[in-house]
Amino acid sequence: MVALACLGLCYRLLGLRAVGQRERMAVNGAVAGAAVFLYPLALGWGDWDAYRAGWGAPGMWVALLAVSLFCWVKGLRLLPMLVAVALLAWRFGVLESTNLWDYLIDPWLATAALFQCMKSGAVRLLARFRGTGSGVRTCHPDAPAAEQGAAVRCVLEMGVDTFPRLKSLITGVII
């Protein structure tokens, strides 16, 4: 989470994007997927205790290695680097917790990733239904921010304007 905050701060202060949209969406997708899978289990909605694996279970290490290698092969470097930073921080006890899950994911990061995924999905769905001829440009993940902003404005025109706080969340840069 701290590494992502530093990347976002670098963009906000210096205008430099350290990673592309594809990398950010891969991280958002992985975090959102993990949150959708793990948080209900943490609330007791299943028989498996996912938090227990964070105490150093070999299966957790294998899963992190598999996800990192898959991303690396696909040309995505941010997620494996974030996993490596989290593992190093966990190993050296940077946080008070000794559970690896506390280094990999937290509720704020999960919420932000879920909003980013929903926003991206809404933009793509809107672009697909409206088509490119009606003034809406399809938004490629690596498209310039101006094109992505136009697509977000179209989503907001569909009715999100009735919720000002939600609008500010969607239009703001979350990650």
Side-chain angles (χ1 to χ4, degrees), residues 59-150:
M60 175 89 159
W61 287 85
V62 170
L64 287 174
L65 179 64
V67 168
S68 296
L69 286 175
F70 176 78
C71 290
W72 194 270
V73 167
K74 292 291 185 181
L76 302 169
R77 305 293 188 253
L78 181 61
L79 190 64
M81 289 183 354
L82 291 174
V83 168
V85 167
L87 286 171
L88 284 173
W90 176 68
R91 174 64 181 104
F92 290 112
V94 174
L95 298 177
E96 291 179 13
S97 176
T98 56
N99 194 299
L100 181 56
W101 283 118
D102 294 331
Y103 291 85
L104 291 171
I105 188 172
D106 69 1
W108 292 109
L109 177 62
T111 303
L114 285 168
F115 273 113
Q116 275 303 109
C117 288
M118 288 188 301
K119 181 181 99 171
S120 176
V123 167
R124 289 174 191 250
L125 188 64
L126 179 65
R128 176 177 286 167
F129 282 123
R130 285 200 176 169
T132 57
S134 63
V136 178
R137 286 180 251 156
T138 56
C139 190
H140 189 271
D142 293 322
E147 286 184 25
Q148 293 176 4

